[in-house]
């Protein structure tokens, strides 16, 4: 039961601008969402739709569409910038 992961263009740009070491960790984290869109440590966001998962100081904000078996990555960024 694998989910399809879609990354919005804005999130792709943010991901591409990450430092090289962090890019690899965040990319690998996003790829794990295919098999488990609600991994250990993920949190449902309050105040806005979506879920959050951490990778060091970086966050991935995404939505889950269970009916379509789809995960949509909305934002990727540093924890100080991602929620504003």
């Amino acid at each position: 039961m694998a989910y399809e992961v879609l990354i919005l263009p804005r999130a792709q740009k943010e991901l591409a601008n990450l430092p090289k070491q962090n890019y690899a960790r965040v990319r690998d984290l996003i790829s794990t969402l295919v098999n488990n869109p609600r991994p250990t440590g993920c949190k449902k966001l309050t105040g806005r739709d979506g879920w959050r998962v951490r990778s060091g100081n970086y966050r991935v904000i995404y939505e889950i569409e269970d009916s379509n078996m789809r995960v949509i990555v909305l934002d990727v960024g540093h924890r100080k910038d991602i929620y504003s």
Side-chain angles (χ1 to χ4, degrees):
M1 181 165 91
Y3 281 71
E4 175 186 16
V5 175
L6 301 173
I7 304 175
L8 295 182
R10 175 182 67 211
Q12 288 177 355
K13 186 175 180 182
E14 293 165 347
L15 183 61
N17 290 331
L18 293 180
K20 191 174 186 178
Q21 179 181 358
N22 295 319
Y23 169 82
R25 287 191 315 172
V26 173
R27 180 199 62 212
D28 293 343
L29 176 65
I30 291 172
S31 68
T32 65
L33 297 176
V34 169
N35 296 319
N36 183 10
R38 294 174 183 90
T40 302
C42 75
K43 289 196 176 186
K44 178 95 170 96
L45 296 177
T46 58
R48 83 183 251 193
D49 291 336
W51 294 77
R52 182 265 298 161
V53 68
R54 302 181 332 171
S55 176
N57 286 330
Y58 291 88
R59 306 293 185 262
V60 177
I61 307 295
Y62 60 97
E63 290 181 345
I64 302 170
E65 293 180 358
D66 286 316
S67 60
N68 296 329
M69 300 284 293
R70 187 178 302 160
V71 173
I72 303 169
V73 177
L74 305 172
D75 287 312
V76 176
H78 194 274
R79 66 187 181 114
K80 69 178 181 173
D81 302 322
I82 196 75
Y83 299 112
S84 54

